[in-house]
Amino acid sequence: MDELQLIAERTGSVPLPESGALGSARARLMAEIAAAEAENVVPLRKRRRWIWTGVGAAGLAAAITAVVAFAPAGLEPPVATADPVAVLRNAAAAALKAPDTPPTPSQFVYTKTKEPDGERESWLSADGTHDGLIKMADGKSFPLPGCRNGRAQAYKGEKPLKGVMEPCTPRPAYRPDLPTDVDAMFAYLNANHSGHDGDVNAMGKDVLALANENYLPPAVRAALFGAAAKVPGLRAVDHVQDAAGRPGVGITWPLGPEADPKVAKPVVIVFAADTFQYLGANSAAVTAFGVVDAVGQRP
């Protein structure tokens, strides 16, 4: 049975507790981990592979709060008590439970993000053929021309160049085409990430890009978080916040060998502490998300 399906079945009927109950549940969980450590260890930096016996589904769901961070080695925050693999698998299980109302081809995926210098809004074409828009935190707007029949309107800044078209490939914001299997998603990220071979931070940033402003069906989003759990070098981090000030627990993996830790800054992807809902990042927290019929509309 697929691991994500097993997690969903074990936790589907168990309500998540209030935040105040998490402390004692975590303590009980960590005691169980210590007792079962010998059989739960896997070769990736001695991380534990979760066994669904001995620890009840309610205790597991209650005990782990989640954030994913991509941090350079020179700026590593303190290590948390949560297991990074279990954190991401629980985030995947939460994603499977999310409602699914997919957009139609003519609609737009709307996202509002809170950034350090203000708010950003985006309207991305669900099928990639309609004209979208991004409003930056500084007030500037960037048109996103739709790609129709392999051609798109050319722009110079915010102004269209009259009569000038350019070659294009549609970039849909609705992604039912992505893998729903964890291993297949990991292979997809490996083949398509924006860095060099072995650049796990580039892969992490692509996880962030997919999660932030795309409409992913629940099974795809779950596979994305499950695939993130397979990235080498994961570490748990405590006491982090998204850009809107919402707290969570973090997971880091190192930047590539060419990164300069003196100038690089950690990027943290945040999940709600008590529900595992994706919240965004420390640099851009998602404060509104939905499907709309036209650019300029809000859910």
Side-chain angles (χ1 to χ4, degrees), residues 13 34 41 198 230 250-251:
S13 62
V41 173
K230 297 169 68 69
I251 300 168

Side-chain angles (χ1 to χ4, degrees), residues 100-264:
D100 185 20
T101 308
T104 65
S106 63
Q107 290 183 307
F108 296 84
V109 177
Y110 170 83
T111 309
K112 180 195 284 188
T113 52
K114 174 70 171 64
E115 301 180 357
D117 55 350
E119 291 184 332
R120 163 189 162 118
E121 292 180 289
S122 65
W123 291 265
L124 306 186
S125 171
D127 69 354
T129 70
H130 298 79
D131 296 342
L133 183 73
I134 294 177
K135 293 181 67 174
M136 303 297 291
D138 61 5
K140 294 181 180 178
S141 295
F142 289 92
L144 300 174
C147 181
R148 295 176 287 274
N149 300 317
R151 310 291 290 178
Q153 172 66 55
Y155 278 79
K156 184 176 182 180
E158 299 181 31
K159 296 183 178 181
L161 298 176
K162 186 175 181 179
V164 179
M165 306 292 286
E166 55 188 0
C168 64
T169 301
R171 300 183 63 181
Y174 175 44
R175 300 302 307 272
D177 58 303
L178 293 178
T180 57
D181 174 79
V182 169
D183 290 337
M185 177 63 80
F186 186 74
Y188 171 84
L189 292 171
N190 256 328
N192 293 279
H193 73 71
S194 55
H196 305 291
D197 289 343
D199 189 348
V200 296
N201 185 68
M203 185 185 293
K205 288 181 177 179
D206 288 346
V207 170
L208 172 63
L210 282 172
N212 240 20
E213 294 186 335
N214 292 276
Y215 190 105
L216 306 180
V220 172
R221 187 170 290 265
L224 181 66
F225 296 146
K230 297 169 68 69
V231 174
L234 291 178
R235 293 184 62 196
V237 185
D238 232 332
H239 308 303
V240 290
Q241 295 182 335
D242 69 5
R246 295 171 290 193
V249 178
I251 300 168
T252 71
W253 51 81
L255 288 177
E258 299 178 0
D260 183 355
K262 295 181 180 179
V263 298

